[in-house]
Every structure is written in C-alpha cells, then in structure tokens.
Amino acid sequence: MSRPGPADLSARQAINLQTVVEEFISTGSPVGSKVIAGRRGIDFSASTVRYELAALEEAGYLGHPHTSAGRVPTDLGYREYVDRLRSDGSERLPGSLRGALDGVEMRRELDAGLEQLVEALADATQLLGVITAPSPDAATIRHVEVLALQPHVVMVVVITSTGEVTRRLFELDEPVDEGLADWAGQFLKERVSGSAVGSRMIASRLEEPSLTPAEAGFIDVLAPAVTELESDYLMLHVAGQAQFVAGLREIDTDLVDGLLRRVEERYALLQLLRSALRTNEVYLRIGREVPDPELSGLSIVAANYGVARRNLGTVSVMGPTRMDYRLAMAAVREASSLLSAYLEDVYE
C-alpha cells in the first residue's frame, strides 16, 4: 500500500494520529485504542479506532512495539502531525513561556545576552537549547577609546557593532600626555569606525602623511588594538545538557555515545544549523530527516534571527523525537523574534 500524503488522511485518521502523538509525547507509553475511544471530540467506537490505527500503521505513520498492544508514532507520523500544526497555526506560545523569554535582559555585550537567552529557552522547553552567534565577520568597529591609565600605561577600548568589548593595554617607555591619548582616541574612531573586524583595510586607514613623528609613532604603537582585533565568541551557546541526556534514555543505548559525541563537536553543529539560515520559516527535522546520520535519533527545531535583509544566526532546540513540537516551534519562533528586535538596536 502506498503512503498517503497529508491531503489523503481522513478527518478521523487525522484526529487518531494527533491523539496518539500527543498522548505518547505526554506519557512515553504506547497508545491503545481504549485510551483514544471516548476522548472529547472522538465519538466513534473502540473497534473503529482499532481499524483506523491499523490503517495508519500500514501507511507508516505508526509503529507497533512487539511487547505492547499500543502504537507509537514513527518519524513519518511526527512529520504529518507537525505539518498539520504548522498549517493551522496552532503552535501558540503559552503565557508562562512568553513571560520567561520576555524576562530575558539582553545586555551590552551580545554573548552575555545569548547565554541568558539560551538558558531561558532550555528551561522553558526542557530540551537542549543551542544558539549560534553572529559570524565574527559580521561585526564592525563601532567605537574606540584611548585611556591614559598611568604615565606609562595606555588602554585601548574597542566596541563592535555586536556589543563585544575588547580592552588592550600598552606600556610605553616615555610618559604619555593625556591630550595625546584623547587625540589618538578621536583619530582612531574617525579612521576605523564602520570597518569590518579583521579587515585588511584598517591598517591603510591609519596611514596619514600629515601626522607629526610623535603622533605617527603613538598610533603605530596602538594600531594592533584595531588591526589585530578578533572576535572571541564561542560561536555556539548551549544550555540544557542535563535534560538532554535524560531524554536519551529512551533512545537505543548504542546511539547515545554517538549522539553525545556529536553534540560536543561544535563545528558539526554549526554546519548542521547553517541550513536554518537559508529559510525564514521554522526549520524542523525529525529523526532520519536530520542530515547528520549520527543525530538521526533526534529532532531539531530552529529559526533564524537577524536584521532587515540579513540573517545572523539561529535559535534552536534539540531533543528526542518524542518532544512537544507545539511548544518547541513556538519557543524558537518567540526567542528568534526577541533576539532580532534586540539586534535592530545593536547593529548599524
């Protein structure tokens, strides 16, 4: 028998599938016909339910463990369920979760805000939360300050468009006049503001024939603070490892080591989540749909964030295929919206 598409499921089959999926997500136990029959909105008999469950199993939407008379969703069953949730817009965010995410206080430095947000996301969904930070090459220099801390010590402070702050100390042989330090700060700010972090053009912008030998020499000393500027972002912010490991108990033990190893390989996760950057819809992969074979026992729900015409990163949750998809989709959508709104005020 060929597998029917979404439009081929009858209304009765659709409600049976939805009930099995949601009951299994809630309890983790296979779902029998007696559990479904008599539910609110289900006015057909247990024998009719058994017939429809058998049809759904034959079509590949449900599985039937040998040790139980109940059914469990397959990857295809979860996919059908999720697609119907998305089409009817029912992945509403619970008020309690909205309050948790709204309570996130995004701070001056972006990485601190991302850490706070990913922890709130993981706590609210009880899943592994993963947020990819903007690529370092997306940052530009926003502000430069030169401070004379001691007669022989100068500090250069650089703030990027992502809110990251770097501080670099320089010790000189001769005392530094505060007026020279103030002038150098203004000169650097005028010359490099708006330049991309790591740009090779920065060094050439510091060249100025009209500078006095003292001014040119001072700028040469301070130049590494802006020419050698590098982002120290971890690129990935992860939270919720404890509940993630607990959720793996239901997965074949032979897969657990591979899953944990893959999650620890941050480069692999970055590569995987880049797919979510190419779409403005919620990115969702279930079980065997996940491109990385070692993660095929998981589901991934992600959404991108950014500013106008520019996606900068992704917000995602990961966990067993038996996750609350309604909650997960709403949570990543809300978190990405919150982060995008914050970045509108941060990025130039």
Side-chain angles (χ1 to χ4, degrees), residues 75 128 244 247-248 251 255 259-260 262-263 269 272 285-290 292-301 317-323 325:
D75 290 351
L128 184 75
F244 175 73
L248 296 183
I251 298 176
L255 296 176
L259 291 172
L260 292 175
R262 210 55 161 176
V263 168
L269 282 185
L272 182 64
R285 295 294 181 268
I286 299 169
R288 293 182 178 85
E289 297 175 354
V290 178
D292 188 332
E294 285 206 65
L295 296 176
S296 62
L298 302 180
S299 287
I300 299 172
V301 183
V317 292
M318 301 180 185
T321 53
R322 189 181 72 85
M323 69 164 61
Y325 291 95

Side-chain angles (χ1 to χ4, degrees), residues 145-148 176-188 218:
E145 196 78 35
V146 178
L147 304 173
V176 177
D177 180 74
E178 287 190 12
L180 181 61
D182 292 340
W183 167 85
Q186 188 63 34
F187 177 84
L188 291 174
F218 192 47

Side-chain angles (χ1 to χ4, degrees), residues 239-305:
Q241 290 92 331
Q243 54 256 38
F244 175 73
V245 172
L248 296 183
R249 293 172 185 167
E250 299 176 9
I251 298 176
D252 189 327
T253 54
D254 291 337
L255 296 176
V256 171
D257 286 343
L259 291 172
L260 292 175
R261 184 170 58 252
R262 210 55 161 176
V263 168
E264 288 300 315
E265 295 172 356
R266 296 195 164 201
Y267 177 77
L269 282 185
L270 278 170
Q271 292 292 102
L272 182 64
L273 292 172
R274 279 177 181 160
S275 300
L277 279 174
R278 295 193 285 269
T279 175
N280 289 325
E281 299 295 325
V282 170
Y283 174 90
L284 197 154
R285 295 294 181 268
I286 299 169
R288 293 182 178 85
E289 297 175 354
V290 178
D292 188 332
E294 285 206 65
L295 296 176
S296 62
L298 302 180
S299 287
I300 299 172
V301 183
N304 66 56
Y305 67 85

Side-chain angles (χ1 to χ4, degrees), residues 59-80:
Y61 293 103
L62 299 177
H64 194 163
H66 296 298
T67 57
S68 170
R71 267 91 171 178
V72 298
T74 63
D75 290 351
L76 180 65
Y78 282 124
R79 168 53 64 186
E80 176 69 19

Side-chain angles (χ1 to χ4, degrees), residues 229-249:
L229 186 65
E230 295 181 358
S231 174
D232 60 2
Y233 284 162
L234 297 176
M235 293 299 297
L236 275 180
H237 298 267
V238 183
Q241 290 92 331
Q243 54 256 38
F244 175 73
V245 172
L248 296 183
R249 293 172 185 167

